[in-house]
Amino acid sequence: MVLWGFETLKTGGDTISAILHLMGVKIKHQKGAWIKKLEIIPLKELGRSREN
């Protein structure tokens, strides 16, 4: 995957979301637009290993 600033702005962060999903991480939204927490998806829920 290629991550460029222009591409990230153009897609609204879809690439970053895909990268996080491949890593087995999801964004947990909280109050406000800028406050985010990352949550590790349990292996049982993920259904695969985190390794390549």
Side-chain angles (χ1 to χ4, degrees):
M1 290 203 175
V2 177
L3 184 62
W4 293 92
F6 178 74
E7 185 273 337
T8 301
L9 288 172
K10 192 169 104 177
T11 63
D14 289 346
T15 306
I16 294 173
S17 178
I19 291 169
L20 289 173
H21 179 73
L22 289 171
M23 291 172 38
V25 176
K26 61 184 170 183
I27 297 174
K28 186 170 184 176
H29 298 281
Q30 295 183 331
K31 297 179 194 175
W34 298 104
I35 301 172
K36 307 280 188 251
K37 282 194 173 187
L38 298 177
E39 184 177 297
I40 297 174
I41 301 170
L43 290 177
K44 193 177 258 188
E45 182 181 332
L46 190 59
R48 59 175 173 80
S49 69
R50 295 185 204 284
E51 300 173 7
N52 270 340

